[in-house]
Each structure stands twice: as C-alpha cells, then as structure tokens.
C-alpha cells in the first residue's frame, strides 16, 4: 500500500491525456500499488454494458473468440474496459483484497462487492486472458485486479441472491431510481401522476423503469417493444398497463404506437433501448412540457438536442446519470417485491 498522496477522484491514475478525469482518459495506470485511500478488488466477473456488448457483437459478426480478443485488447491498451466506439463500459463483481487505511468506502478485506462506478473509469488488469469466456454473453468470467478510488462507490453483494442476478440488476440500477425521481417530481409540479412510456420496456433497465413507474403510481404505463415475443412476455408478467410494438428507431411508428394508448404523448418517456437512433422517436412520443430520460448509452446528444429543436418540441431531456442516491437498494427492493422483475431478468440471463 503506497503512502503517496492521491486524488480521491483518481487523477493520479490518468496516463493520457494529461489533466482529464479518469473517465475521459485514453489510458489509465492499473498497475501501480494501491494508494492509502484506494481499495483493491480481485475481480470475478465483468458485466459489459448492453450497448457496448451489442456493438462488439455486431462488429465481429458474433464471433466469440474475436469479441473476447477485442475486450482483452481494449483493457490491455486502455487500462480499463472502455469501449472506444460506444464510450460505455459496465461494472464488475469481485472480492476486496486490500483496503487502504484512509479509504472512506467502509469496505473490509474479504467483502464480496459490485462496483457501482463505470468500468470506463475503473483501473483494471486482466490476468487470465478471459480464458473462461466464450465471448457470447454480456457477463464475462474474469480473473484480474481493479482499483476503487476514495470517491468510487461499491455495494456489498446480497447473500440471498445469485451473484449474476445482483450484477445484472446493479448494472442498470440508475434507471429505476431516476424514473421514480422524475415521476415524483412531475406529481409535485403538476398535481397529478404522469403517464410513462418506456422504449425497450422488456429489457433489463426498461422493465425496472416500468416497475419503478408502477411503484410510484404513474397514471398509465406503456412499454414499447419490438416484437410479439417481447410483447407476450410483458403481457404475461402483467408489469405494465399497455404494450405496443414498434421499432424504436422508427420515430413516426414509435410516436404513433404510444399515441394509440396515450393520445398526445407520454408525460415521461424513458429510453432503455440498446441501439442508436431512438432520440427522435422518444421526443415525438412525449407530450408538450414532458420529460425524456435518455438512459441508453447509444444516445447521441446532438441528435437529441437538434431533433427537439427541429420539431419545436418543448420537452425536458435528461441524460441518464447512472448514479442517484439509494439507487442500488431501490433496484434490489424492486427485484424482491415485483415477481415480474425476477422472472424477466432470469429469462434474459438464461437466454444470454
Ligand atoms: P437490454 O436488457 O438489452 O434491453 C434493451 C431492450 O431494447 C431489449 O429488450 C431489446 O430487444 C430492445 N430493443 C433493441 N432494439 C430495439 C428497437 N429497435 N426497437 C425496440 N426495442 C429494441 O439492455 P439494458 O441492459 O437494459 O441497457 C439498455 C441501455 O441502457 C443500453 O444502451 C445500456 O448501454 C444503457 N445503460 C446505461 C447506464 C447508465 O448509467 N446510463 C447503465 C447501464 C446501461 P432485444 O432483446 O430483442 O434486442
């Protein structure tokens, strides 16, 4: 454990370019011994962010070995799992191996934890070449070391849930917390509950966002999904008031589909699709004065901003910050209290 003073936000780990925060860095130093306020994690598993995995899968035509080589290569080159195309990362689980005496994170050696800060800023080394991964799933068995800064966040893994399930829930736990916050805020401001549309409602962040909207007593919830299979699943699980089918990248079709159940558009639209090109559909599907949460990492900020301007759409647009206070505990509570969430996550992970 080094006693050299360090930066709580990890500036001392930035190799290039100088002066940027770790998330914006091209390369981090994952090798130096932990500083007195850092925590060292022995990594078990990575959870690649859905947009990142889909991009890698598409770029390598589904060739698992090539996808594995790409991930190993990114981490070797960048000192972190930061997909250079999507700009997104994911998170990891592992066991605390060392805790600096000045760490404020309240972790102990031996704790099983999930990191709640993105892999795009987490110094990481891989020591097994990802030999146990076939390259065909978002969850990646991995031996390696990761470092948490003083200002990082991590959650202890619950003893009563499978690690893989907790990992998948924690990865997207920012979405339900932000949805709940915006639903509450709308009610306080307008004096009634909002209508809520979720694009990609059958996915992980989408189903949790729907569960959050229901838990906060949204006036009506609608899931936009892309095919009959996802629609039947959601109807079977009874998680949502209405399910409509549309390609979320088709702006007009998406808005028309939402309007069939919420004429005039949703007060809140949450984008949880893992492909690019959903900005305009989300804006068109949202009522005047409403709000769009762009949780998807495949969102283009210029496309959203210029699209709203071009449509003269008076909508508030929120970047889906992955962190909201209490987000991990809230997502876990939805997993435990909403049976549909458990079964949809389990089905998705089995299919993976
Ligand atoms: P997911 O479980 O794969 O869900 C995505 C859903 O979108 C799936 O049901 C997918 O259907 C559906 N979909 C894909 N293309 C569609 C289309 N054209 N029209 C309608 N639906 C479509 O993904 P996730 O883990 O929830 O992640 C969703 C997004 O959140 C990703 O972009 C991810 O990067 C992002 N994310 C953001 C944060 C943050 O901090 N802001 C954190 C984690 C993840 P299929 O399964 O049939 O493809």
């Amino acid at each position: 454990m080094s006693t050299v003073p360090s930066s709580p936000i990890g500036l001392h780990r930035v190799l290039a370019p100088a002066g940027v925060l770790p998330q914006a860095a091209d390369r981090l130093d994952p090798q130096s011994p932990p500083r007195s306020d850092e925590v060292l994690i022995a990594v078990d598993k990575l959870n690649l962010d859905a947009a990142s995995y889909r991009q890698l899968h598409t770029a390598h035509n589904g060739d698992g070995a090539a996808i594995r080589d790409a991930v190993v290569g990114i981490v070797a080159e960048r000192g972190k799992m930061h997909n250079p195309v999507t700009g997104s990362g994911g998170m990891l689980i592992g066991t605390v191996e060392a805790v600096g005496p000045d760490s404020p994170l309240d972790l102990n050696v031996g704790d099983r934890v999930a990191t709640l800060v993105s892999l795009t800023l987490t110094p990481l080394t891989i020591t097994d070449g990802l030999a146990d991964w076939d390259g065909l799933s978002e969850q990646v068995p991995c031996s390696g070391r990761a470092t948490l800064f003083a200002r990082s966040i991590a959650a202890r893994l619950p003893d009563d849930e499978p690690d893989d399930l907790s990992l998948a829930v924690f990865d997207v736990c920012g979405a339900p917390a932000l949805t709940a916050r915006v639903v509450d805020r709308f009610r306080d401001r307008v004096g009634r509950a909002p209508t809520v549309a979720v694009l990609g409602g059958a996915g992980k962040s989408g189903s949790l966002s729907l569960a959050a909207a229901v838990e906060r007593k949204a006036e009506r919830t609608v899931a936009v999904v892309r095919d009959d299979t996802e629609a039947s699943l959601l109807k079977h699980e009874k998680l949502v008031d209405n399910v409509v089918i549309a390609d979320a990248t088709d702006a007009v079709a998406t808005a028309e589909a939402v309007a069939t159940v919420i004429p005039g558009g949703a007060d809140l639209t949450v984008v949880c699709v893992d492909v690019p090109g959903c900005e305009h559909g989300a804006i068109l599907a949202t009522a005047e004065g409403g709000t769009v949460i762009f949780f998807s990492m495949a969102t283009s900020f210029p496309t959203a901003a210029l699209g709203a301007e071009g449509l003269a759409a008076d909508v508030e647009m929120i970047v889906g910050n992955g962190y909201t206070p209490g987000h991990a505990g809230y997502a876990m509570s939805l997993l435990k209290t909403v049976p549909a969430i458990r079964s949809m996550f389990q089905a998705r992970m089995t299919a993976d």
Side-chain angles (χ1 to χ4, degrees):
M1 192 70 57
S2 164
T3 54
V4 181
S6 69
S7 152
I9 53 175
L11 295 177
H12 55 284
R13 295 268 172 190
V14 174
L15 293 178
V20 301
L21 299 188
Q23 202 280 330
D26 294 336
R27 282 190 303 121
L28 296 181
D29 165 19
Q31 302 280 6
S32 298
R35 303 274 178 103
S36 66
D37 62 354
E38 290 182 328
V39 170
L40 190 64
I41 311 267
V43 180
D44 291 345
K45 197 166 271 192
L46 309 177
N47 191 94
L48 301 185
D49 148 88
S52 173
Y53 182 73
R54 186 181 281 267
Q55 183 277 325
L56 289 164
H57 193 274
T58 304
H60 296 286
N61 297 316
D63 177 343
I67 296 169
R68 185 177 57 218
D69 289 349
V71 172
V72 170
I74 290 169
V75 175
E77 190 179 321
R78 307 199 70 175
K80 57 178 178 172
M81 181 49 212
H82 188 170
N83 183 320
V85 178
T86 61
S88 57
M91 51 177 293
L92 61 83
I93 56 176
T95 304
V96 174
E97 193 171 287
V99 180
D102 302 323
S103 169
L105 297 188
D106 190 28
L107 295 174
N108 298 306
V109 171
D111 284 349
R112 303 265 308 132
V113 293
T115 59
L116 297 178
V117 285
S118 172
L119 289 178
T120 61
L121 58 86
T122 304
L124 175 68
T125 51
I126 291 173
T127 52
D128 66 349
L130 304 183
D132 293 335
W133 183 44
D134 63 7
L136 297 177
S137 56
E138 287 174 13
Q139 294 205 349
V140 182
C142 168
S143 287
R145 297 277 180 288
T147 304
L148 294 180
F149 312 131
R151 215 175 134 174
S152 303
I153 42 173
R156 285 191 185 78
L157 286 165
D159 293 334
D160 56 349
E161 298 290 354
D163 286 355
D164 289 359
L165 182 58
S166 301
L167 181 60
V169 170
F170 284 146
D171 179 46
V172 291
C173 66
L178 189 53
T179 301
R181 174 188 276 186
V182 175
V183 169
D184 290 350
R185 209 180 58 187
F186 183 95
R187 185 185 285 103
D188 291 345
R189 186 166 52 88
V190 178
R192 65 169 173 86
T195 52
V196 178
V198 177
L199 312 191
K204 296 185 288 295
S205 57
S207 54
L208 276 169
S209 298
L210 286 168
V214 171
E215 189 268 330
R216 294 303 165 109
K217 304 201 170 8
E219 182 185 315
R220 176 171 285 277
T221 52
V222 54
V224 178
V225 300
R226 70 162 157 193
D227 57 29
D228 278 325
T229 310
E230 289 196 329
S232 312
L233 176 69
L234 267 174
K235 283 177 187 160
H236 173 74
E237 295 293 351
K238 297 190 171 55
L239 181 62
V240 60
D241 296 320
N242 298 97
V243 184
V244 295
I245 298 175
D247 176 352
T249 65
D250 181 333
V252 174
T254 300
E256 286 178 353
V258 171
T260 59
V261 285
I262 311 177
D267 297 312
L268 168 61
T269 303
V270 190
V271 182
C272 293
V273 177
D274 59 343
V275 297
C278 302
E279 298 84 358
H280 293 170
I283 293 164
L284 266 187
T286 305
E288 283 294 293
T291 302
V292 182
I293 297 174
F294 286 110
F295 189 71
S296 168
M297 289 293 172
T299 301
S300 156
F301 178 68
T303 305
L306 297 174
E309 180 193 88
L311 293 163
D314 176 20
V315 293
E316 178 188 34
M317 296 189 287
I318 300 180
V319 177
N321 179 354
Y323 174 69
T324 302
H327 61 342
Y330 182 55
M332 270 295 152
S333 75
L334 293 173
L335 175 71
K336 290 193 184 301
T337 55
V338 184
I341 292 296
R342 184 177 296 278
S343 60
M344 289 181 68
F345 267 69
Q346 282 171 338
R348 202 161 256 281
M349 291 169 65
T350 307
D352 207 11

